[in-house]
Each structure stands twice: as C-alpha cells, then as structure tokens.
Amino acid sequence: MKKSEIRFSIALDDQKVPEAISWQATDAGPDIHFAKAINIALWDRDQAGTMKIDLWTKDMPVDEMKHFYVDTIGAMAESLQTATSDTVMVKKMRELCQELMNHINEEAEKGGSN
C-alpha cells in the first residue's frame, strides 16, 4: 500500500499568532510551499463529526480571506458533486458562492472590506 504524507509547519510569534505557514507533501515533490491560510476539515470516524483547523497568518488581508472562503466553498461543491452526485446541494453551494462574490464585489466598489 502506498502512503502519502502532508506536513504543515506553523511559525508563531510571541503571542502564538501564526507568522508563517509552510507545507510539504510527498506527492508534491521536495519543495516547501508557503500559505497565508489553511482550512482543514476532518470527519472523525469514532465521533462521527467534523474536526476543523483554521489558521491564517497576520499578514492575510481581509479581502483575500473572504476570497479564500468563497473558493473553499466552491471547491467543496466540486468535491460534493464527485462524491455524491447531489445536484441540489451542489447548485445551492454554487449559488451561495455567487451571492458572496457579489457581496465582495459590491464592497470593493464602495471601497470597504467589511
């Protein structure tokens, strides 16, 4: 059986706020990759529930964070389509992404990021 590993390394400041996030994966070659944010969700088979890890560096701008979450929802919709073929849920998730992008674009036009 082939094994694949993903390793995350988080550099923290004195207040334990992430300053840098790096990762390596056996299937991604030997290079170290850097990220401003990570969002990991695991389905715990014993607890039958979701466990999450959300981290972002202090240099992650609010507008990029919003795009990150919309992209995450969109990627989840694609995965859900592949895993379940539930077109209703996938359509609703895609519609939500469009609504959120409209909101982000409206904010950008107004010059705000709330």
Side-chain angles (χ1 to χ4, degrees):
M1 171 173 54
K2 181 182 185 237
K3 280 190 170 185
S4 183
E5 292 186 9
I6 302 170
R7 293 183 197 95
F8 292 96
S9 180
I10 314 300
L12 305 172
D13 67 11
D14 293 339
Q15 285 75 45
K16 298 185 179 177
V17 175
E19 287 188 321
I21 300 170
S22 62
W23 64 275
Q24 284 182 290
T26 52
D27 290 347
D31 294 341
I32 296 173
H33 306 273
F34 293 91
K36 288 185 182 179
I38 60 173
N39 176 296
I40 302 169
L42 306 166
W43 184 261
D44 184 286
R45 67 179 181 182
D46 296 328
Q47 299 294 321
T50 303
M51 301 177 73
K52 289 181 53 21
I53 300 170
D54 295 302
L55 295 172
W56 55 92
T57 60
K58 53 185 162 185
D59 69 335
M60 178 75 165
V62 170
D63 61 329
E64 287 184 22
M65 180 64 82
K66 291 178 181 184
H67 280 94
F68 173 62
Y69 277 100
V70 173
D71 288 349
T72 300
I73 295 168
M76 290 169 60
E78 295 305 312
S79 295
L80 187 65
Q81 176 67 44
T82 301
T84 69
S85 300
D86 186 331
T87 56
V88 173
M89 282 188 70
V90 170
K91 180 179 181 233
K92 288 179 182 280
M93 290 173 78
R94 289 178 179 153
E95 288 170 352
L96 174 60
C97 287
Q98 187 58 57
E99 286 180 41
L100 294 171
M101 283 308 303
N102 290 344
H103 170 70
I104 290 170
N105 291 335
E106 287 171 9
E107 282 186 332
E109 287 174 12
K110 293 177 187 174
S113 62
N114 291 339

